[in-house]
């Protein structure tokens, strides 16, 4: 089942961050991401690692047309003037050999810096550099990736049964990550370490991926943001025209009312912009501060492509 896009309105943000897409795996929700990219424009687009899953592609080849479509959509955005920066992660670490180069208008960088409309300097990094398992016990990371695959296989069968009973989708892997004490402690420690690194380097905040947990919060005076994933949560991080950051979910955007659009002069300050390019005047969507209305369980079940087909990806 393809995503229902009939009620989706076009939105414009100053910047969008996307990470942990895991193209090349059957767990990647490429159709949903493509729908998101079609209906959400931005002046700057940051791809914050694990866009392609080289780990899984080494085991077996999996590449649907929808995965090609996502790549082509990003390239098209770059051709139309969107500043696209790609910061590779651990699953697409092969791309780190090309750091400093630009391909098809996409800048490949080991890390990047973004300045928000209200003047905050943000470090953009995938985050695996601060994961001790990835850095020092890589074989254990591969084991963890395989266990994650098994959990998602169990999740598929479990949700098939729930679907037969008319019950909504429920993610077993997300539940385990948020309930298992060690996993919760790892996520909390990871967030604090990243915030500490931003402070040490005199940034106002940090935006990362890696742990598949979308978040925007302040940690000891440092702004911490995580763009989530396109395996389970279908989430991205966005910057509004006033510099405010927000986590958005594909399911919520599907039910959100049509945004009010107005002319708004773009604020300067994102690194690295092309030399000599003038800031463009773009329409901006400024939603109310209140959290967007949540979908009902029935709406969520109807709008998602069959979630029982969820299969492997790991942070």
């Amino acid at each position: 089942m393809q995503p229902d896009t009939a009620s989706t309105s076009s939105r414009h943000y100053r910047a969008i961050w996307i990470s942990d897409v895991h193209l090349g795996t059957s767990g990647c929700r490429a159709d949903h991401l493509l729908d998101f990219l079609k209906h959400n424009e931005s002046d700057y687009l940051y791809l914050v690692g694990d866009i392609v899953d080289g780990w899984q592609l080494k085991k077996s080849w999996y590449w649907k047309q929808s995965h090609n479509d996502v790549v082509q959509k990003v390239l098209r955005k770059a051709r139309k003037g969107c500043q696209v920066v790609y910061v590779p992660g651990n699953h697409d670490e092969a791309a780190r050999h090309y750091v400093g180069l630009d391909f098809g208008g996409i800048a490949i960088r080991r890390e990047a810096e973004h300045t928000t409309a209200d003047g905050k300097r943000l470090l953009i990094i995938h985050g695996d550099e601060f994961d001790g398992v990835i850095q020092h016990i890589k074989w254990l990371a591969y084991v963890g990736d395989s266990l994650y695959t098994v959990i998602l296989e169990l999740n598929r069968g479990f949700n098939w049964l729930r679907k037969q009973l008319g019950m909504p989708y429920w993610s077993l892997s997300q539940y385990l990550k948020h309930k298992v004490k060690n996993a919760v402690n790892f996520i909390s420690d990871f967030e604090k370490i990243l915030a500490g690194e931003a402070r040490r380097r005199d940034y106002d905040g940090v935006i990362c991926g890696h742990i598949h947990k979308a978040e925007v919060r302040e940690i000891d005076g440092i702004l911490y943001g995580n763009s989530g994933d396109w395996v389970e949560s279908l989430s991205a991080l966005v910057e509004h025209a006033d510099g405010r950051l927000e986590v958005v979910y594909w399911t919520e955007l599907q039910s959100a009312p049509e945004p009010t659009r107005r002319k708004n002069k773009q604020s300067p300050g994102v690194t690295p912009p092309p030399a000599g390019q003038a800031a463009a005047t773009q329409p901006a969507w400024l939603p109310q501060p209140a959290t967007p209305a949540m979908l009902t369980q029935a709406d969520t079940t109807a709008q998602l492509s069959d979630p029982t087909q969820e299969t492997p990806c790991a942070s």
Side-chain angles (χ1 to χ4, degrees):
M1 182 188 301
Q2 298 297 316
D4 179 10
T5 61
S7 62
T8 305
S9 302
S10 180
R11 297 172 174 82
H12 186 93
Y13 300 103
R14 188 167 184 267
I16 295 176
W17 289 265
I18 290 171
S19 69
D20 299 275
V21 178
H22 294 277
L23 293 170
T25 72
S26 54
C28 169
R29 297 301 185 201
D31 289 333
H32 297 76
L33 177 56
L34 183 62
D35 179 65
F36 175 83
L37 292 173
K38 284 180 178 178
H39 295 92
N40 294 274
E41 302 294 338
S42 62
D43 302 315
Y44 303 93
L45 174 62
Y46 292 96
L47 308 175
V48 196
D50 287 0
I51 304 304
V52 176
D53 197 320
W55 291 12
Q56 290 294 329
L57 286 174
K58 286 179 181 178
K59 297 178 182 178
S60 61
W61 183 258
Y62 183 94
W63 195 270
K64 294 178 64 177
Q65 180 59 44
S66 58
H67 296 210
N68 267 340
D69 294 341
V70 168
V71 174
Q72 290 300 320
K73 185 62 177 176
V74 172
L75 289 169
R76 192 173 301 117
K77 284 180 177 291
R79 288 198 300 270
K80 290 183 177 181
C82 177
Q83 303 304 305
V84 182
V85 180
Y86 174 28
V87 178
N90 52 299
H91 282 259
D92 48 11
E93 58 191 350
R96 289 173 173 169
H97 295 298
Y98 304 99
V99 161
L101 301 179
D102 292 11
F103 292 99
I106 299 176
I108 304 177
R109 302 292 183 263
R110 190 67 176 83
E111 58 184 47
E113 177 183 320
H114 176 84
T115 303
T116 63
D118 56 356
K120 292 185 177 67
R121 293 176 58 245
L122 304 178
L123 171 65
I124 302 171
I125 192 168
H126 180 64
D128 62 294
E129 302 90 336
F130 301 93
D131 183 339
V133 173
I134 295 293
Q135 295 301 313
H136 304 295
I137 322 175
K138 199 163 187 176
W139 65 267
L140 186 57
Y142 287 119
V143 171
D145 185 50
S146 298
L147 290 175
Y148 187 60
T149 299
V150 172
I151 292 173
L152 290 180
E153 289 290 346
L154 293 173
N155 192 51
R156 187 198 320 191
F158 178 71
N159 275 284
W160 178 87
L161 179 59
R162 288 176 64 88
K163 185 178 181 182
Q164 303 310 307
L165 296 174
M167 301 174 70
Y169 173 71
W170 182 79
S171 176
L172 174 63
S173 56
Q174 287 275 32
Y175 174 81
L176 291 176
K177 278 196 294 186
H178 296 153
K179 292 298 182 181
V180 176
K181 183 177 180 180
N182 287 341
V184 173
N185 289 341
F186 169 78
I187 291 172
S188 177
D189 291 344
F190 178 87
E191 294 173 343
K192 291 176 181 176
I193 291 171
L194 266 291
E197 177 67 10
R199 179 184 297 102
R200 185 184 71 81
R201 296 171 60 176
D202 201 28
Y203 284 96
D204 299 304
V206 60
I207 294 178
C208 60
H210 189 55
I211 59 174
H212 293 202
K213 185 178 184 299
E215 186 74 83
V216 175
R217 67 188 182 100
E218 194 170 279
I219 301 176
D220 297 330
I222 297 295
L223 180 62
Y224 169 84
N226 191 298
S227 46
D229 67 275
W230 287 85
V231 180
E232 300 171 278
S233 65
L234 311 182
S235 57
L237 191 63
V238 301
E239 179 194 357
H240 295 285
D242 58 1
R244 176 170 49 88
L245 300 188
E246 179 187 10
V247 173
V248 295
Y249 296 90
W250 180 84
T251 50
E252 292 180 10
L253 292 177
Q254 287 294 96
S255 65
E258 183 173 354
T260 301
R261 301 172 67 86
R262 67 178 180 83
K263 293 290 185 178
N264 188 79
K265 186 176 292 185
Q266 181 182 331
S267 302
V270 171
T271 304
Q277 179 167 330
T281 299
Q282 297 284 1
W285 178 51
L286 297 176
Q288 297 299 318
T291 302
M294 295 294 293
L295 291 175
T296 64
Q297 291 183 336
D299 291 335
T300 303
T301 303
Q303 289 179 355
L304 284 174
S305 66
D306 187 359
T308 62
Q309 298 302 312
E310 183 178 3
T311 44
C313 287
S315 63

